[in-house]
Amino acid sequence: MKFRPLPQPQFSSPLHHPRVAVVIGRWLGAAVLVCFLTGVFSHVQQETTYVPSRPVSLYRVTQGLHVLSGTIAIPLLLAKLWTVYPKLFAKPPWPPSRQALVSIVERLSILVLVATLALELLTGFLNTIQWYPWPFPFRETHYALAWIIVGALIVHLAVKLPLIVEHWRKVRAAPRQDGLSRRGLFRIVAGAGALVGVTTVGQSVPPLGPLAVLAPRRPGVGPQGLPVNRTAEAAGVVRADSEWRLTIVGPRELSFTLDELRRLPQTQADLPIACVEGWSQGARWEGIRIRDLLSLCGAAKSAGVRVRSLEKGGFYGTSELPAQFAQDPLTLLALRLNGADLDLDHGYPARIIAPNRPGVLQTKWVHRLEVLS
Ligand SMILES: Nc1nc2c(c(=O)[nH]1)N[C@H]1C(S)=C(S)[C@@H](COP(=O)(O)O)O[C@H]1N2
Ligand SMILES: [Mo]
């Protein structure tokens, strides 16, 4: 019996043309670039003390763009992979030569790029819909993958540069063909990206809220008209009773009941909650300036503060306000939201609200402030 070689698949569609790969690649590249830059900004926000406290909504915009561009990149990546997948069946480079070596590097870099980018976009998207089915820490992994993607992308672009240059401009009309035209494909892919974008962006752009079917949180939906990320029940926090005190530990140690806090000078601030998962919404907060509390206990004008929640342990139980946030006149220990006492799920009896901060650092159920020198 004689073995016959497997038939080579035929890819006759002109939609697998390099020009198509270049056009969709540009869109995907733009989305990935926005996603990467805003992601690095979010990392700097959470890991360093250098970020300024103004403009108040900067993080709201950058993180909204981060989740939006990452979500739009998913259909773009799928389209790009479809366009180039016949390359998988290309003859392996043999016999060895300089060209063969380039081709091996190229294929390896594409393997790394596709694998990491697909994983990054998928885990990021699952994170935004609040599903964490993996055992590794999301944020660290997400950040490390981003740099691997950048490295693999640079290699990929370098290897493909001649092809990219050749097909950057449309040189002549695409050959007439039956079925879907190039322009038709571009419209479908752009339409898919736009559709995914429109059904996502409403989570941070209130007028588009009703369209945000891909988003788990929508503007206006929640107690006091504001979404809740983690409820008191989920955080294991019970309603504070009359025993509750706010303790401030600094040069002097002070302690306040809730009624005593209510009698201190109150300040109003219109500030957004801007969750790292992409949803955001502005609200009117009312409470005591953190900088007033710090100066009452004799802290220096340059002091930062550590905030402790009634919630025990975990990543959310404490946060730190570097000096530029602690001393900002808009940073409050908020007691009220949209004209009423805080709902338990929004942090009753007291929470932090500060300008230009990731939601995850807007600690709820505060009971202790510790001055940092
Ligand atoms: N103690 C504590 N504070 C917390 C959280 C938490 O789980 N525990 N969640 C944070 C996150 S991730 C966000 S986005 C905001 C959301 O505030 P909200 O639930 O009042 O809208 O609260 C932050 N403060
Ligand atoms: Mo959040």
Side-chain angles (χ1 to χ4, degrees):
M1 188 175 155
K2 241 178 88 186
F3 286 101
R4 274 193 276 160
L6 283 171
Q8 278 278 316
Q10 296 292 312
F11 300 99
S12 52
S13 167
L15 299 179
H16 297 303
H17 192 271
R19 165 73 187 161
V20 178
V22 168
V23 171
I24 297 178
R26 283 197 304 233
W27 299 346
L28 179 59
V32 166
L33 184 68
V34 170
C35 206
F36 175 73
L37 294 176
T38 50
V40 168
F41 180 69
S42 183
H43 182 83
V44 170
Q45 274 270 16
Q46 292 179 67
E47 295 293 321
T48 75
T49 58
Y50 307 124
V51 176
S53 59
R54 305 294 175 91
V56 299
S57 291
L58 180 60
Y59 187 79
R60 181 179 191 184
V61 173
T62 63
Q63 196 62 11
L65 282 175
H66 182 70
V67 171
L68 182 65
S69 56
T71 310
I72 290 176
I74 293 174
L76 298 183
L77 175 63
L78 293 175
K80 181 81 157 60
L81 290 178
W82 179 82
T83 303
V84 300
Y85 89 93
K87 293 239 149 226
L88 277 178
F89 298 92
K91 280 229 186 81
W94 196 260
S97 65
R98 214 186 88 93
Q99 245 191 336
L101 192 72
V102 171
S103 158
I104 288 170
V105 172
E106 173 193 349
R107 286 174 189 213
L108 277 178
S109 75
I110 289 179
L111 182 71
V112 173
L113 181 58
V114 171
T116 49
L117 189 55
L119 188 65
E120 186 82 325
L121 295 179
L122 182 72
T123 54
F125 180 69
L126 293 184
N127 182 275
T128 68
I129 58 171
Q130 311 224 313
W131 188 29
Y132 310 88
W134 47 77
F136 48 81
F138 171 76
R139 204 160 52 94
E140 288 80 350
T141 314
H142 201 62
Y143 185 65
L145 278 175
W147 288 100
I148 301 176
I149 291 166
V150 167
L153 192 56
I154 290 173
V155 175
H156 178 58
L157 291 176
V159 174
K160 294 288 189 192
L161 195 59
L163 200 71
I164 295 172
V165 170
E166 187 186 338
H167 296 284
W168 190 259
R169 286 176 181 287
K170 183 170 164 181
V171 273
R172 61 190 128 70
R176 287 190 131 281
Q177 62 183 91
D178 298 331
L180 189 62
S181 67
R182 268 183 209 172
R183 179 176 296 175
L185 178 73
F186 293 153
R187 285 195 180 143
I188 288 175
V189 174
L195 185 68
V196 166
V198 165
T199 49
T200 301
V201 74
Q203 64 181 331
S204 43
V205 180
L208 296 176
L211 300 176
V213 291
L214 275 187
R217 302 275 186 276
R218 287 191 230 171
V221 181
Q224 298 177 287
L226 179 73
V228 168
N229 214 51
R230 214 141 65 101
T231 61
E233 191 185 351
V237 172
V238 294
R239 192 175 182 84
D241 55 22
S242 56
E243 299 291 291
W244 181 88
R245 295 284 182 283
L246 174 76
T247 308
I248 309 179
V249 186
R252 281 191 293 279
E253 185 168 326
L254 303 175
S255 168
F256 298 91
T257 66
L258 185 52
D259 277 333
E260 287 167 346
L261 286 176
R262 285 177 176 140
R263 286 196 290 270
L264 293 175
Q266 307 289 306
T267 299
Q268 280 190 354
D270 290 317
L271 292 174
I273 292 281
C275 182
V276 293
E277 283 149 17
W279 68 268
S280 61
Q281 188 185 322
R284 169 150 299 179
W285 307 90
E286 202 180 323
I288 308 105
R289 285 185 173 137
I290 292 291
R291 73 173 189 195
D292 292 350
L293 291 171
L294 296 191
S295 76
L296 280 179
C297 81
K301 284 259 180 285
S302 57
V305 67
R306 179 177 300 118
V307 180
R308 290 195 187 275
S309 170
L310 294 170
E311 179 181 1
K312 289 287 157 276
F315 183 57
Y316 303 93
T318 69
S319 65
E320 277 178 26
L321 288 164
Q324 70 274 30
F325 292 99
Q327 304 295 334
D328 191 295
L330 290 181
T331 300
L332 307 181
L333 181 73
L335 307 179
R336 292 167 68 80
L337 160 60
N338 292 337
D341 283 352
L342 286 174
D343 186 279
L344 179 58
D345 284 339
H346 286 306
Y348 176 90
R351 78 168 304 159
I352 294 297
I353 188 77
N356 189 27
R357 288 232 101 186
V360 66
L361 301 176
Q362 311 275 30
T363 305
K364 305 196 276 194
W365 312 295
V366 172
H367 77 119
R368 193 177 163 92
L369 300 176
E370 298 166 1
V371 175
L372 302 168
S373 40

